[in-house]
Amino acid sequence: MNPLQFNLRAKVGYLLSKVQEGESLSKLLDDQLNNITEKDRALFHQLVLGTLRYWYNIKAASLPLLKKDLNNPYVEGLIYLGIYQLIFTRIPPHASISETVTAVKQLGFSPLSGVVNAVLRKVSRDQENFKQIIVNAHGLPSWLYKRLKRDWPEQIQDLCLALKEHAPLTIRVNQKQTTRNNYLALLEENHIEAKKCNFSQSGLQIFSAIPITQLPGFKEGLFFVQDENAQLASEIFDKKLDGKTIIDACAAPGGKTTHILEKFKVNKLIALDNNENRIQRIQENLYRLKLNNSNIELINSDATTWQSKENIDIILLDAPCSATGVIRRHPDIQLLRKMSDITQTVELQEKILNNMWNQLSIGGYLLYITCSILKIENENQMENFFSNHIDAKEIPINNHWGIKQKFGRQLLPVDQFGDGFYYCLIQKVI
Ligand SMILES: C[S@@+](CC[C@H](N)C(=O)[O-])C[C@H]1O[C@@H](n2cnc3c(N)ncnc32)[C@H](O)[C@@H]1O
């Protein structure tokens, strides 16, 4: 059958199988969206994201229904998709079941359509019971659950629930173009509901469901979409960055680079990243936000080896990480990350840290950041760093947000608030 003739569930099932094979959802969505009619796009998104969000909850509830492992990622994904529709959407059960069973056949697995039909009918007959089992499951891959429970024994239950929530839409008002109050007034004029963020001085949370590009002033660069907790990087520095030479060591797509340029009058900013396509995105963002000045240099290079030719006052190191703090926005991370990846990521972070530290002038500061909630990438990474660098001194971040750690501060994702982030500020003292 021509894939273009697949029903919507088959298109979702195909995409879910690709995520199971290790492809990232944002790239798949970019590639697939042209195959989805305009009127189906909202439902397509809901079904993909919803099924991935509750993947491990549904897995826990559906395993006892299967006599043996199906060993078929397409059919596994379609069963979860069917159950997601039955438990979490208002789609009539008969439509959820028949559309999903048709998808199984369209994808070439007719012999398994009877099993899928039987499982979905069973769930449909006993919806309340299954809903309880699903919402009571921790809903994470077991390696991640064990690690989080070890790292956050007191917070683990709230954390599991928070990771299933929808993250709020938060923007950062471009202070070079307008003020937060003026932009809030503009939103009110356009009947768009929003409120000021608690911790970020330029953040606004948007409540109205509206495409980002239709918010007023998108093209003019009046704002940038950025989680509130990601905005804290620039808040930590207060006025300290005026006149400084700065490296943003892992800069793409430029969220923190552009914030620094909006907030401070820097001497020079070098934005480094080893991904050429993503460097292009920094360029686009600089251009849209009207921050494209001659004192900014974009460099496509590897931060584990790159050498600076000039004295560097400040390094922002927003390290590549497990991204476990942003699972709410990217639920595919739950399927994509494996324990072995974490070990490699921690090693990469250490290499980048060591090389960038060598680029920093004495008296300068390095801000280490991750969007991870795993201590091995955060507090433990810093503990290791301080034990190997007698020239490093922690500068405590005395803010109200987050949880103070032995080194640095950790923010955990909280319903209606920001994502999981970690910050540690270090000064080079000798
Ligand atoms: C967490 S993201 C950075 C987000 C960015 N700071 C922002 O606020 O928009 C991490 C970045 O590190 C980059 N990266 C990964 N390994 C790298 C390396 N060895 N050298 C330089 N950049 C690297 C990735 O391409 C990715 O863009």
Side-chain angles (χ1 to χ4, degrees), residues 224 226 248-257 272-275 278 301-304 316 318-321 348 352 371:
F224 184 84
Q226 190 179 40
D248 186 351
C250 295
K256 298 183 186 69
T257 281
L272 191 77
D273 203 283
N274 70 345
N275 183 321
R278 285 171 66 84
S301 188
D302 185 341
T304 63
L316 202 81
D318 188 8
C321 71
L348 174 62
I352 297 179
C371 59

Side-chain angles (χ1 to χ4, degrees), residues 15-292:
L15 197 142
L16 294 174
S17 75
K18 291 286 151 201
V19 174
Q20 290 174 78
E21 284 170 12
E23 291 191 36
S24 113
L25 181 62
S26 52
K27 187 181 170 302
L28 287 164
L29 284 174
D30 282 351
D31 296 346
Q32 288 287 311
L33 231 52
N34 287 340
N35 300 332
I36 312 295
T37 59
E38 192 84 35
K39 80 172 173 41
D40 282 342
R41 281 191 188 169
L43 179 60
F44 181 75
H45 263 118
Q46 183 195 352
L47 296 182
V48 170
L49 287 163
T51 306
L52 288 171
R53 197 179 298 282
Y54 289 103
W55 188 270
Y56 287 96
N57 303 68
I58 297 175
K59 187 171 187 157
S62 64
L63 273 181
L65 302 180
L66 295 165
K67 290 203 183 77
K68 56 178 181 164
D69 191 353
L70 293 172
N71 213 4
N72 182 323
Y74 288 89
V75 177
E76 184 183 358
L78 284 167
I79 289 180
Y80 298 172
L81 167 64
I83 297 178
Y84 170 74
Q85 293 169 85
L86 291 168
I87 302 294
F88 293 104
T89 73
R90 291 189 186 161
I91 301 168
H94 66 271
S96 299
I97 296 173
S98 73
E99 288 292 316
T100 307
V101 171
T102 303
V104 175
K105 293 176 186 163
Q106 287 182 346
L107 286 169
F109 304 108
S110 292
L112 292 172
S113 62
V115 180
V116 175
N117 190 34
V119 168
L120 297 186
R121 284 192 186 285
K122 189 154 194 175
V123 174
S124 168
R125 279 195 300 272
D126 203 4
Q127 274 188 21
E128 271 316 305
N129 181 28
F130 275 102
K131 187 166 189 174
Q132 277 317 309
I133 301 174
I134 286 172
V135 296
N136 288 339
H138 60 67
L140 295 170
S142 60
W143 72 266
L144 180 57
Y145 177 72
K146 279 185 201 145
R147 227 162 224 276
L148 289 177
K149 197 170 165 202
R150 198 178 69 195
D151 285 356
W152 305 106
E154 285 168 30
Q155 295 87 350
I156 185 67
Q157 280 189 344
D158 290 343
L159 197 49
C160 287
L161 290 174
L163 288 172
K164 299 292 144 187
E165 299 294 337
H166 289 257
L169 171 59
T170 309
I171 61 167
R172 183 187 83 224
V173 176
N174 181 352
Q175 297 162 73
K176 280 262 165 28
Q177 300 287 329
T178 181
T179 63
R180 176 159 76 166
N181 283 340
N182 285 349
Y183 190 72
L184 193 56
L186 184 62
L187 291 177
E188 274 167 25
E189 270 170 41
N190 286 274
H191 310 290
I192 297 168
E193 262 186 84
K195 78 165 176 77
K196 289 180 183 175
C197 288
N198 289 347
F199 301 121
S200 162
Q201 289 163 24
S202 36
L204 288 175
Q205 216 182 98
I206 311 284
F207 298 109
S208 304
I210 181 164
I212 288 149
T213 50
Q214 286 172 29
L215 287 172
F218 174 78
K219 276 199 194 123
E220 294 74 20
L222 296 196
F223 67 89
F224 184 84
V225 175
Q226 190 179 40
D227 179 74
E228 175 173 13
N229 292 345
Q231 296 180 30
L232 300 176
S234 289
E235 306 284 339
I236 286 170
F237 282 113
D238 195 19
K239 285 268 172 253
K240 290 193 194 78
L241 302 194
D242 286 344
K244 301 292 187 200
T245 299
I246 301 164
I247 302 176
D248 186 351
C250 295
K256 298 183 186 69
T257 281
T258 50
H259 195 184
I260 289 174
L261 295 170
E262 286 167 15
K263 198 169 154 76
F264 302 103
K265 291 189 182 73
V266 304
N267 172 48
K268 179 170 183 182
L269 193 152
I270 300 168
L272 191 77
D273 203 283
N274 70 345
N275 183 321
E276 203 171 345
N277 292 336
R278 285 171 66 84
I279 292 256
Q280 183 58 34
R281 299 215 18 232
I282 308 181
Q283 187 67 66
E284 288 160 13
N285 286 324
L286 286 170
Y287 184 74
R288 186 177 65 82
L289 296 168
K290 301 189 173 65
L291 298 166
N292 210 359

